[in-house]
Every structure is written in C-alpha cells, then in structure tokens.
Amino acid sequence: MNTQDMASQALSVDVPASEWVTANGRYHWADRARRVRALRFRGLILSRRADLRPVSGRVRVVAHVVTRTRTRMDPANAAPTVKALIDGALVDARVVPDDDDVHLVGPDFRRGPVCGDLDKGFHRITITITDFEDSYNEV
C-alpha cells in the first residue's frame, strides 16, 4: 500500500437516528452492537467512495457534529458515534494503521454549522484529518 502525506482530508457522514449512539444513551447491549456495526460499515463504505488516501505519520482528527436546528447541544455526546465512524472510515478502510494515540490526536468535538436541509432524524458528522505537525503549527 502506497502511503502519502496529506494536508487535510474530510469525510461527511449522515447518520440516521436508528444508528445514532450518544454518551448519555442507555442501550441494550445487542442494540448498541448493531448500531456500532452499522456505523463502522457506513464509515468504511463512504471512506472508500470518497477515496480517502492512506497516510503515514500522526494525524489530528476533528469531528464536527451538524444538526438541523440551533438548539443547544453537547458535541462530545456524539463520542460513541464518532468512535465507530473512525474505526470504519479510517482504520477498517486502512487510511491510518490504528486509532491509538501513536497514530491519532483527538478526536476534538466541535459543533458544525446548522444544516436546515438535513433530513429529519439525521445528524451529520464531518471528520477532518490533518497532518499533526501541520495542525500543531496552526494552533
């Protein structure tokens, strides 16, 4: 596999309510496992369609959580959903070798812009990966 350095790559994933997992949710273990499995697969397929390039070195991950309305939210509550998407879109798709602290910094959770045309019941997660050294110099 040919790896290359990159400036920045992004992947947007629309997640239906039937797959959404929050840190505050109380799920039966089988339901949670089904949701995580679906999210990983969704991330893998969309990553391949987006043709995300494999990277070498450490990357910084930022996850923007997009909703339809301006209501208050805690973006970090999306952590279980983002974790499953990272596992599928980055690790399973072989964009990064692993999601451990040697390869990834983050994810940092941010609120994304309001998207009124997002289908009802959906959230959009935009995962951006940037070379860690490049992103560190910008901060």
Side-chain angles (χ1 to χ4, degrees), residues 5 8 21 24 42 47 110-111 138:
D5 293 327
S8 180
V21 185
N24 292 334
R42 183 181 294 273
S47 177
R110 310 281 169 83
R111 177 163 193 155
E138 292 174 8

Side-chain angles (χ1 to χ4, degrees), residues 1 11 40 43-44 47-48 52 54-55 59 61 82-100 103-104 127 129:
M1 180 179 296
L11 177 69
R40 281 185 81 140
L44 172 65
S47 177
R48 287 182 178 167
L52 294 184
V55 296
V59 294
V61 178
V82 172
K83 167 71 171 134
L85 290 173
I86 287 172
D87 287 345
L90 301 183
V91 179
D92 296 348
R94 297 186 176 158
V95 175
V96 296
D98 198 1
D99 62 345
D100 60 10
H103 299 96
L104 296 184
I127 298 170
I129 58 174

Side-chain angles (χ1 to χ4, degrees), residues 32-99:
R32 182 182 177 97
R34 179 196 57 77
R35 290 171 187 247
V36 168
R37 189 170 43 253
L39 286 165
R40 281 185 81 140
F41 185 70
R42 183 181 294 273
L44 172 65
I45 295 301
L46 292 176
S47 177
R48 287 182 178 167
R49 284 186 187 161
D51 199 27
L52 294 184
R53 299 175 312 276
V55 296
S56 58
R58 211 164 175 203
V59 294
R60 178 175 184 234
V61 178
V62 177
H64 286 89
V65 182
V66 177
T67 61
R68 297 181 60 209
T69 64
R70 297 185 196 284
T71 58
R72 290 176 22 147
M73 67 172 295
D74 180 357
N77 278 338
T81 295
V82 172
K83 167 71 171 134
L85 290 173
I86 287 172
D87 287 345
L90 301 183
V91 179
D92 296 348
R94 297 186 176 158
V95 175
V96 296
D98 198 1
D99 62 345

